[in-house]
Amino acid sequence: MLKRKITQSLIDWKNSSDHKPLIIKGCRQCGKTFSVMDFAKEYYKNVVYLNFFENPDYASVFAGSLEVDNIIMLLSALLPGGAVFEAGKTVLILDEIQDCPEARTALKFFRTDGRFDVIGTGSLLGVKGYGKEPKSIPVGSETVIDMYPLDFEEFLWANGITEQVIDLLKKNMETQIPIPEALHSRMRQLLLQYTVVGGMPDAVQTFVNTKQMDEVLRIQRNIVRSYEDDMVKYAERKDKSCIRECFQSISKQLGKENKKFQYSVVKKGSTALRYAGSLQWIEDAGIVVRCYNLSITELPLDGNAEKDVFKVYMQDCGLFVSMLEDGTQYDILQGNLFGYKGAILENLVADIFAKMGRKLYYFHKDSGLEVDFVIRYKSECTLVEVKAATGNAKSTKTILRHPEKYHVASAIKLGDYNIGESGQMLTLPLYMAFLLREF
């Protein structure tokens, strides 16, 4: 069974005094239902489970009065033997809650009542064209947690890397002591594996159990197809084709020398007016993440972001690789990234940063200056360059030489290296990106 960080978040939520109903929000098939049910069975005497996607009839329970006693009465009749409500000992799980807007409205009544814990999960919450909006979103009466596919650290746990090993990596990073060669080699191998497997639970579990990459690829491509099916099923009619075209252009966008997202790449001659809403749909569904260009390299990053200039990365790097041509997985596992190396490595780091809750930023000027990522690290604006085996980070060095202009004093170069330092630039192996946690 895969160990997930969301479990600790659920435990912390339950242990907090006077906690509100909880919403777990994330893309389809990232493990929400499994994690919530596993937690509920261990920490509650009674678990009442409703899946509104599989059983639309359950929505009728919330069609009338939303008083808690009325809902309990109806659920007890609808689920005989499967709906035991004991104050302080029962959790009600509302799976795919976006399919029953009234159930989300009911959360404020459960919050006021206080006898029972409630957890809702949602894959397409707030996505334009999906279902109806709740009559009243229970602002102040719910807690929302974003859930992602497995991150790199969870992937390491699944592959037998212990906390002690991760603590050693962290200590060596902090003291800038190179990683022992045997461990360095193993971590490089695991990073390449994560690049192609990614973090979708079914793909990771299949990889751990069988190491059969053809089966992993089949699972990933089925997931991508299911996302495309969602676009066709649930988007508004006028947006359906635009959303699919936008989604299918992502690999082309990242394959360009200038990876800035361009609507003209989606379809020749197209503009933001036609496709901006389509891209927003895909982002709201948790499939992609944007990386915004900064007008200047200084804090606060969000305040200096140019909202109409951005790159787009897949939220999960394994799904991105699965969208490339056949044979790409094999090449990456052999360490051969060829012409796509920039796109693949950048999407890998975007995956790692986004799953730790970082908003993504980069810096590009028409003069030719370009830095792959800019992050807030240890309360400072820090440049992050992503390189393969070679690369001299020319733009970063230029910026560091002019602190009076760019307000930056430190940089990190991630690549196929061991730990090292040169002036203001710290060199780290790519697999250490997940350790850059301090904001």
Side-chain angles (χ1 to χ4, degrees):
M1 187 176 71
L2 300 172
K3 179 183 175 184
R4 301 300 306 271
K5 292 179 181 179
I6 193 71
T7 302
Q8 188 58 54
S9 298
L10 290 165
I11 293 170
D12 293 342
W13 165 78
K14 186 179 188 304
N15 290 337
S16 64
S17 59
D18 195 32
H19 51 262
K20 304 172 185 177
L22 180 66
I23 296 287
I24 304 293
K25 184 180 175 185
C27 64
R28 285 203 190 277
Q29 302 185 55
C30 70
K32 299 183 297 297
T33 302
F34 183 88
S35 294
V36 168
M37 288 298 290
D38 188 61
F39 160 78
K41 289 173 183 176
E42 182 170 353
Y43 288 91
Y44 291 89
K45 180 180 177 183
N46 309 302
V47 179
V48 181
Y49 175 77
L50 304 179
N51 186 314
F52 295 112
F53 180 74
E54 292 180 356
N55 297 281
D57 290 346
Y58 289 161
S60 63
V61 172
F62 300 88
S65 168
L66 296 180
E67 290 184 3
V68 172
D69 283 338
N70 184 65
I71 292 171
I72 289 172
M73 178 186 68
L74 292 175
L75 287 176
S76 299
L78 185 64
L79 305 169
V84 178
F85 286 88
E86 293 182 67
K89 297 179 180 179
T90 296
V91 61
L92 173 62
I93 297 174
L94 305 173
D95 207 358
E96 302 294 359
I97 196 172
Q98 74 276 353
D99 283 301
C100 182
E102 293 79 10
R104 191 163 181 202
T105 300
L107 295 183
K108 62 185 177 184
F109 295 92
F110 279 95
R111 162 70 170 158
T112 302
D113 183 89
R115 287 175 290 168
F116 314 107
D117 286 351
V118 184
I119 302 175
T121 76
S123 302
L124 295 171
L125 277 171
V127 172
K128 184 181 178 183
Y130 190 95
K132 298 177 181 178
E133 283 293 312
K135 292 178 183 177
S136 171
I137 293 177
V139 177
S141 296
E142 64 179 20
T143 298
V144 180
I145 296 179
D146 288 312
M147 184 175 177
Y148 306 98
L150 278 81
D151 64 21
F152 182 52
E153 186 171 23
E154 291 171 315
F155 181 81
L156 294 178
W157 295 341
N159 285 276
I161 300 298
T162 64
E163 293 284 2
Q164 289 77 10
V165 172
I166 293 172
D167 287 343
L168 172 65
L169 295 174
K170 194 186 310 179
K171 181 179 178 181
N172 282 35
M173 184 182 78
E174 292 169 352
T175 56
Q176 297 178 19
I177 297 173
I179 303 299
E181 191 55 39
L183 178 58
H184 180 58
S185 177
R186 174 65 175 141
M187 292 300 299
R188 289 171 63 217
Q189 179 189 49
L190 284 165
L191 185 72
L192 291 175
Q193 292 170 356
Y194 178 73
T195 304
V196 298
V197 175
M200 301 307 287
D202 281 355
V204 175
Q205 193 67 70
T206 297
F207 174 75
V208 171
N209 291 346
T210 70
K211 299 296 189 290
Q212 293 184 17
M213 294 308 302
D214 58 336
E215 184 62 16
V216 170
L217 183 60
R218 185 191 66 79
I219 290 169
Q220 291 169 326
R221 288 182 171 170
N222 281 342
I223 292 172
V224 170
R225 275 192 291 272
S226 74
Y227 287 169
E228 292 178 328
D229 288 345
D230 281 348
M231 297 167 197
V232 173
K233 287 179 187 175
Y234 304 123
E236 294 179 351
R237 183 182 296 275
K238 63 183 176 63
D239 296 332
K240 292 180 188 293
S241 62
C242 292
I243 292 173
R244 287 193 70 172
E245 289 167 352
C246 209
F247 177 64
Q248 291 168 352
S249 80
I250 290 172
S251 58
K252 289 187 289 183
Q253 302 275 0
L254 290 175
K256 298 188 285 93
E257 184 65 29
N258 175 10
K259 297 178 181 63
K260 171 191 167 185
F261 190 90
Q262 296 172 307
Y263 293 102
S264 60
V265 172
V266 180
K267 182 174 280 188
K268 190 174 181 179
S270 290
T271 63
L273 184 64
R274 178 169 173 78
Y275 283 101
S278 301
L279 181 60
Q280 187 65 53
W281 196 101
I282 302 167
E283 184 179 24
D284 288 344
I287 300 170
V288 301
V289 60
R290 298 192 207 205
C291 179
Y292 291 97
N293 189 35
L294 296 172
S295 58
I296 188 170
T297 50
E298 66 179 21
L299 303 179
L301 299 179
D302 195 53
N304 293 310
E306 299 178 335
K307 298 303 181 183
D308 58 345
V309 183
F310 53 86
K311 302 177 186 179
V312 172
Y313 297 104
M314 287 289 289
Q315 182 79 255
D316 186 77
C317 60
L319 292 186
F320 170 62
V321 172
S322 79
M323 294 168 67
L324 304 178
E325 63 184 322
D326 289 347
T328 304
Q329 285 186 314
Y330 176 81
D331 291 335
I332 293 173
L333 291 171
Q334 297 300 308
N336 302 321
L337 278 68
F338 303 114
Y340 258 108
K341 66 183 178 183
I344 291 169
L345 293 180
E346 282 186 37
N347 207 122
L348 170 64
V349 174
D351 167 309
I352 292 171
F353 282 171
K355 287 175 181 175
M356 66 168 67
R358 286 192 177 279
K359 291 184 178 180
L360 304 182
Y361 306 96
Y362 73 107
F363 184 63
H364 172 81
K365 286 293 181 186
D366 292 338
S367 62
L369 283 181
E370 177 146 14
V371 179
D372 298 319
F373 296 97
V374 182
I375 64 173
R376 181 188 183 99
Y377 183 59
K378 296 184 176 180
S379 300
E380 292 185 4
C381 180
T382 303
L383 311 179
V384 179
E385 288 274 18
V386 181
K387 300 295 180 185
T390 58
N392 60 11
K394 183 179 177 181
S395 291
T396 293
K397 291 177 180 177
T398 299
I399 292 170
L400 290 175
R401 281 198 300 268
H402 297 282
E404 77 288 347
K405 182 176 182 181
Y406 297 106
H407 316 289
V408 175
S410 60
I412 296 168
K413 182 165 71 170
L414 296 170
D416 193 19
Y417 322 98
N418 210 314
I419 299 174
E421 186 182 24
S422 177
Q424 298 163 283
M425 188 177 300
L426 174 63
T427 298
L428 296 175
L430 264 166
Y431 59 75
M432 281 191 166
F434 83 101
L435 295 173
L436 300 174
R437 297 169 179 156
E438 294 183 57
F439 283 76

